[in-house]
Amino acid sequence: MKIFQASNEIKDYLFPILKDGKSIGFVPTMGALHEGHLSLITEAKEENNLVVCSIFVNPIQFNNKEDLKKYPRTHETDIQKLKSINCDVLFMPSEEEMYPEAPTETFDFEGLNKVLEGKFRPGHFEGVTIVVKRLFEIVNPTKAYFGIKDYQQMLIIHNQVKKLGLGVEIVPCSIIREENGLAMSSRNELLSPVERKQASILYETLKWVKIRSGFATIEEIKQQIRLQFKKNKFVELEYFEIVDMYTLKSLNRWAESNNIIACIAANVGNVRLIDNIILFS
Ligand code: AMP
C-alpha cells in the first residue's frame, strides 16, 4: 500500500492512472478504522481499478473542542487493517496540508444543514463539505463511498456534488453493526463495557419503530420513545425524528411522504452516538 502525506505527491501518483482511463474508488474517513469503514473499502475494491482511503481528523467539522481532543487516533493499527484488505493507497494529510489558510468557502445547503445533526452541531456540515470537496479535488475519484450510518452527511454530499458539478458518483453503503445491533463507530471505543451494552437501545428503538411504522401515529411513537429513554439512566436521548428521506423535513403523518427514515441521536455517558433506519422507500 502506498502512503502519501503531501497532496502534490498523491496527485502526481494518481494522474497517470486517471489518464489511462482507470477508475478510482475513494473512501474518506477520520481513522480509528472498524468493520464499517473496511466494508466501504471492500465495496470500492470490487467496483474500481484502484482504491484510495484517506484518514484525516477534520478539525473544522467539530463544534466541540473536547470531542475533537478525545477522538480516537490509531494510525498504526489503521495502516495494518488497510494493508490486510489490500487497500491500494492511503492519504494521511496534516492539518497544514489541508488548510494552509483558514477556509472561507460557503455552500447553499437549502436548509439540510440546519436540521437533525445540524441543529445540535452547528457548522458541522459546512466543515464536512469543505474537507470532502478538497479531498475530491486532490484524489479526483470516479466513485466515492459513504456509509448511510451518517445518512444526512451522505445526502448533503450527494446534493453538493450535483450542485457544484464535481463529477463524482456517490455510492451509499449499508450500516455495519456490532453483535448487539449497535452501529459500528470509532466513538464506540470510548464506551465502557456497560455503556456499550446499554447503547444497543438505539437500534432496539429503531427496530421497534419499523414494526409500528404506518400503524401507530408518529406522535404516539415519539411519546413512547421519550418515555422509554427516561427510564434508562445510561442513555440520554438528544433527538428522535421521522423525516422525509430527501428534504429531511420532520413528518407529522405517514401520508406526508413515501420515502421515510427515522433518525436518532443519544449520549451514552460522554459519547454521542447516532443511528437511523429506513422505514419506507
Ligand atoms: P468516519 O471515519 O466516522 O468519518 O466515517 C467514514 C465513513 O465510514 C463515513 O462514510 C461513514 O458513514 C462510514 N461509516 C462509519 N461507520 C459505519 C458503519 N457502522 N457502517 C457503514 N459505514 C460506516
Side-chain angles (χ1 to χ4, degrees), residues 28-30 34 36-37 40 71 146-147 149-150 153 174-176 184:
T29 81
M30 297 207 296
H34 49 69
H37 297 114
L40 269 53
Y71 198 85
F146 288 85
K149 179 185 151 266
D150 302 283
Q153 166 175 283
S174 0
I175 304 175
I176 305 297
M184 285 195 182

Side-chain angles (χ1 to χ4, degrees), residues 22-172:
K22 299 214 167 100
S23 65
I24 295 179
F26 179 43
V27 180
T29 81
M30 297 207 296
L33 301 180
H34 49 69
E35 289 297 322
H37 297 114
L38 302 187
S39 73
L40 269 53
I41 294 164
T42 306
E43 193 165 335
K45 279 213 65 107
E46 280 164 15
E47 298 178 358
N48 299 277
N49 298 113
L50 178 130
V51 172
V52 179
C53 171
S54 67
I55 296 181
F56 178 62
V57 182
N58 178 31
I60 65 164
Q61 74 183 67
F62 285 80
N63 56 310
N64 177 332
K65 282 210 173 86
E66 241 346 89
D67 190 24
L68 172 62
K69 212 165 110 191
K70 71 180 186 207
Y71 198 85
R73 290 157 173 94
T74 58
H75 288 176
E76 280 315 308
T77 42
D78 287 351
I79 292 172
Q80 292 316 318
K81 285 179 184 173
L82 290 172
K83 282 183 177 167
S84 78
I85 57 161
N86 298 320
C87 179
D88 302 292
V89 177
L90 169 60
F91 181 45
M92 294 176 90
S94 65
E95 211 177 309
E96 296 72 44
E97 183 71 33
M98 287 305 282
Y99 303 121
E101 280 155 35
T104 52
E105 274 168 289
T106 54
F107 305 92
D108 178 10
F109 293 104
E110 297 178 7
L112 293 184
N113 61 330
K114 298 289 182 209
V115 295
L116 303 172
E117 286 300 282
K119 200 162 157 185
F120 291 88
R121 303 184 70 187
H124 171 66
F125 290 114
E126 287 78 353
V128 168
T129 309
I130 287 172
V131 79
V132 170
K133 182 166 173 270
R134 288 201 176 183
L135 289 167
F136 281 3
E137 281 158 3
I138 295 165
V139 176
N140 270 299
T142 320
K143 294 183 179 190
Y145 296 76
F146 288 85
I148 59 165
K149 179 185 151 266
D150 302 283
Y151 176 78
Q152 187 174 10
Q153 166 175 283
M154 188 279 298
L155 179 69
I156 283 178
I157 297 296
H158 174 271
N159 290 0
Q160 287 303 320
V161 161
K162 268 198 162 166
K163 229 181 174 121
L164 304 171
L166 300 183
V168 182
E169 183 185 334
I170 301 302
V171 183

